[in-house]
Structures are given as C-alpha cells and as structure tokens.
Amino acid sequence: ESDANGPSITTLQGTQPQSKLGQFIDTSMTLQFLSRILPKLPESDPLHQPVDEALDKCLVKLQNSQKQDGSWGGGSWAGVLQSSVGCSALEWAVAAGKTVDMDALDRARGHQKGNFNAETGRASAEDSAGIELYAFAGSQRAAASEAGAARQIIEEAKREGRLEADAEYTEENLRLVGIEAPKATILADSFAQSMAQLALLDNEQLLSGFGNNGGEEFLSYMLTSESLVLQGGDAWPKWKQKMHTRMAKIQIANGSWTGHHCITSPVFCTAAVIQCLTADRDSELLRVINERDATSKPESL
C-alpha cells in the first residue's frame, strides 16, 4: 500500500528500530525477508507474484534512498547498522535472482568496509553511537562475500593443480589463476580484512558492545554469523557454539530474548538471536552471493 516513489513501506513512525537504527530499516529488513521467501515459492504458488512484486518495490525504494557515500544516512542512534542491513539486503536480492544496481552494492560495501582499519584492528564510524561492535560487525559483513569468493577461487585452483596445496589467498595468487587486477585486489583485500577480524572474535570488550545486550548487540552478532558462513573456513562452528552458550545464559523462561537498552523489543531481539544461531541454514542462498563475486567481471566491481 505504500507510495511507490517513497523510501518507506510503513506509516508507523518513531518505533524503536527506526529511532535507533534509522527510518528506512523496515524497508531493508522486509527486502531481506522477501528475498529469502521468493526462491522457496514455486511460480504456481498464489503467493509467488505478490511476494515478487513486493520484493521489487522494496528494492527500488532501498536503491533510491541510498546516499552517494554508500550509506543510508544517519539521524538515528546507530545508523551504521541500518546501512549494514541495507548493504546485505542488496546481496539477498542478488541471491533471490533480482537485478541489482551493482554500483549501489559496491558503494554500500565500500562504505562499510572503510569503517575497519586492518592495521590497527579497530573499527569506528561516526554513526555507530561510539560503540565499536556495531561498526565492526557491519564492516565484517560487507567484506564477507568477497572474502568467501577469494577462498573459493583459490581452493578450486588447488584442487585442479593450478596452485600449490599451501598457496595463500593473496592478490598475486588470484592473478596467477586468471583473475584480473582490479577484481583480484578487491577480493584479496576483503579476505585480509576478514582474517584480521576473525582474530578479534574472542575479544570480550569488543563483543560487549554497549555494556549490556540491546537489539543492536543481537543484530551485530547476527551480522557476524552471516559473515562467517559467507567467508567459509572453520570459524563458523566455533562462533556458533560461542553464541549458543552466550544466548542460553540470557534467554527468558518463555523462550524469548529481550534488550536491556535501546531496542528492548522481545520480538526484534528474539528474531535477531534466532537468525544469529541459524545462519548456516541460509548457506545455500548465501553461496549464491559468493558465486556472483567469484565469477563477475571486473568492470562490475
């Protein structure tokens, strides 16, 4: 029912997620949801067409509301998370088979990745409310698919005997197996960033976020879960167990989770926790994004 030309999909204003994450958060989260649903609906299903049309509508709204720097703007407590969810929403649309403005996706990724300094191991963003975790998780998620693509390309080359078994995931090796220079640089840089961030996942000071759990913390953990599934390797099982242990300690008796600051909504928090703990169940769709990054031509990057 929303205006096709506007960025919003709801007349509700001033909700917790909007005030804490950004006024367009409903649009990007709905785009993620519909992108997961559409591939599971046969064309003969009566829901297929309305879901498809709603997804298209959200995609246009999201792309049109992006700022030139790749973000979706501030005006909220932790707008870096809205921009991160917007970035990954574009990836989910790719996974659902939609034609996405790849310049918009590349700018979104670049903006998020720029919030992490691999040399210092620190993340910062002017719209992260001063909480390093939020910028860290967003930058990790933005680099994850390209990191996974680098791993995929190198591992395939090893299996085919085009690289030695101990070959590293470097720009040089990517170029040796035929990846052109601009793309090889992007993939290698994203892989290096992802590896630097992996080393920080046992840093409790970083993971504590605001100091106690709000919806922003749960959303950040969810972004990291998706990142680890996307980038491949053996980090996901360890993180999953860590999160299971962490979340079990704070689960409410009725099975939900609630926030203790900012986004306190049990609905929001429980959804984020469930997605954090089950990101591997989306691995088939996430791998579609990996495949796109591994096979796309350099000019689209």
Side-chain angles (χ1 to χ4, degrees):
E1 297 175 355
S2 62
D3 185 339
N5 297 317
S8 178
I9 62 165
T10 177
T11 57
L12 290 174
Q13 298 296 315
T15 65
Q16 281 189 343
Q18 289 170 351
S19 63
K20 298 302 179 181
L21 302 177
Q23 60 181 317
F24 307 139
I25 193 64
D26 305 82
T27 305
S28 52
M29 287 189 165
T30 300
L31 177 57
Q32 290 202 18
F33 168 72
L34 295 173
S35 296
R36 285 173 162 94
I37 295 299
L38 185 64
K40 299 182 181 298
L41 291 173
E43 290 190 14
S44 59
D45 192 298
L47 278 176
H48 187 278
Q49 183 175 345
V51 167
D52 194 24
E53 292 174 353
L55 197 166
D56 286 339
K57 193 172 189 179
C58 285
L59 180 57
V60 169
K61 286 174 174 289
L62 188 66
Q63 291 179 154
N64 287 347
S65 59
Q66 187 187 33
K67 293 186 175 295
Q68 190 58 41
D69 68 358
S71 75
W72 274 267
S76 57
W77 190 70
V80 69
L81 289 173
Q82 172 177 256
S83 293
S84 178
V85 173
C87 179
S88 55
L90 293 179
E91 291 188 344
W92 283 109
V94 170
K98 292 299 178 181
T99 300
V100 172
D101 179 348
M102 300 316 297
D103 177 65
L105 176 54
D106 294 338
R107 285 188 290 116
R109 284 176 168 175
H111 180 80
Q112 291 295 311
K113 289 188 290 185
N115 291 331
F116 180 76
N117 186 322
E119 293 183 3
T120 64
R122 301 301 301 271
S124 64
E126 63 180 20
D127 54 352
S128 69
I131 310 301
E132 187 174 5
L133 173 66
Y134 308 159
F136 173 89
S139 63
Q140 184 182 35
R141 178 65 178 81
S145 181
E146 292 165 340
R151 184 188 298 276
Q152 178 179 321
I153 292 167
I154 295 295
E155 289 301 317
E156 181 178 354
K158 290 178 181 180
R159 289 192 298 271
E160 295 174 350
R162 292 184 290 139
L163 286 176
E164 298 294 329
D166 60 350
E168 297 182 351
Y169 308 93
T170 62
E171 179 180 351
E172 180 182 5
N173 283 333
L174 287 167
R175 294 178 68 175
L176 279 174
V177 298
I179 305 302
E180 295 184 34
K183 179 176 177 178
T185 300
I186 292 171
L187 297 186
D189 286 350
S190 290
F191 186 87
Q193 175 175 319
S194 293
M195 293 305 101
Q197 291 176 311
L198 276 184
L200 299 171
L201 292 184
D202 287 325
N203 183 332
E204 282 301 319
Q205 183 176 355
L206 172 67
L207 295 181
S208 66
F210 186 72
N212 55 27
N213 290 315
E216 294 85 347
E217 276 68 29
F218 296 134
L219 179 59
S220 297
Y221 301 149
M222 184 201 83
L223 291 170
T224 291
S225 290
E226 289 184 1
S227 298
L228 299 185
V229 173
L230 269 168
Q231 70 186 45
D234 56 6
W236 161 247
K238 179 181 177 182
W239 171 257
K240 182 178 181 179
Q241 183 56 53
K242 183 184 186 74
M243 287 295 105
H244 269 285
T245 301
R246 195 182 195 95
M247 297 309 170
K249 293 177 180 178
I250 57 175
Q251 188 176 22
I252 298 172
N254 68 5
S256 70
W257 284 265
T258 190
H260 297 105
H261 75 87
C262 294
I263 301 180
T264 58
S265 162
V267 173
F268 184 102
C269 294
T270 302
V273 170
I274 290 172
Q275 288 181 246
C276 168
L277 299 178
T278 61
D280 53 335
R281 300 186 189 183
D282 279 322
S283 59
E284 184 176 345
L285 274 177
L286 288 168
R287 296 302 182 203
V288 173
I289 307 169
N290 276 150
E291 189 65 28
R292 176 262 162 190
D293 284 322
T295 58
S296 59
K297 295 181 180 180
E299 52 265 31
S300 71
L301 295 168

